[in-house]
Amino acid sequence: MKRCYPVFAELGQDSGNTLPSRDMFKMLYAILQKEKSLQLQDTRMMTAFSKRSGLSIGMIHFILSVFEELEFVVKHDNMVTLSATPAKRDL
């Protein structure tokens, strides 16, 4: 007979397994309105954007993919810019 030991881990905000809140979406959109665009491949810019927003880089990518799906932003050649006339939609 073998012994099995369960290991439980507590997943916090830094784990990347949490869903962003509505306030996180609003905050990131407000920062994008100020910046006008975001270069996804520029690690310095993404790190600065992460520090400024308090979100992990993975969380920023997730929120930007939601914005892209809702057509709030346009992604072209790893550059994300706000849509000129975004449709009003619920998050």
Side-chain angles (χ1 to χ4, degrees):
M1 181 176 200
K2 293 185 178 181
R3 292 184 186 195
C4 293
Y5 296 98
V7 177
F8 300 99
E10 189 170 321
L11 300 175
Q13 277 188 322
D14 294 344
S15 67
N17 292 331
T18 58
L19 290 176
S21 68
R22 183 178 179 87
D23 290 332
M24 291 176 183
F25 279 92
K26 289 183 348 185
M27 176 183 53
L28 190 60
Y29 193 80
I31 293 172
L32 269 173
Q33 283 180 317
K34 287 181 184 176
E35 296 291 325
K36 305 293 184 208
S37 66
L38 178 64
Q39 179 63 259
L40 297 177
Q41 295 297 341
D42 186 356
T43 56
R44 270 191 317 209
M45 180 181 272
M46 287 300 292
T47 303
F49 204 73
S50 176
K51 286 181 182 179
R52 184 179 203 188
S53 66
L55 301 171
S56 69
I57 293 175
M59 187 72 73
I60 291 171
H61 282 287
F62 174 77
I63 292 173
L64 289 175
S65 68
V66 171
F67 284 164
E68 184 178 14
E69 186 175 320
L70 294 172
E71 298 174 355
F72 291 166
V73 298
V74 177
K75 183 178 173 186
H76 184 68
D77 292 333
N78 290 314
M79 177 72 83
V80 176
T81 55
L82 287 177
S83 179
T85 54
K88 187 164 182 130
R89 295 185 182 183
D90 290 332
L91 291 177

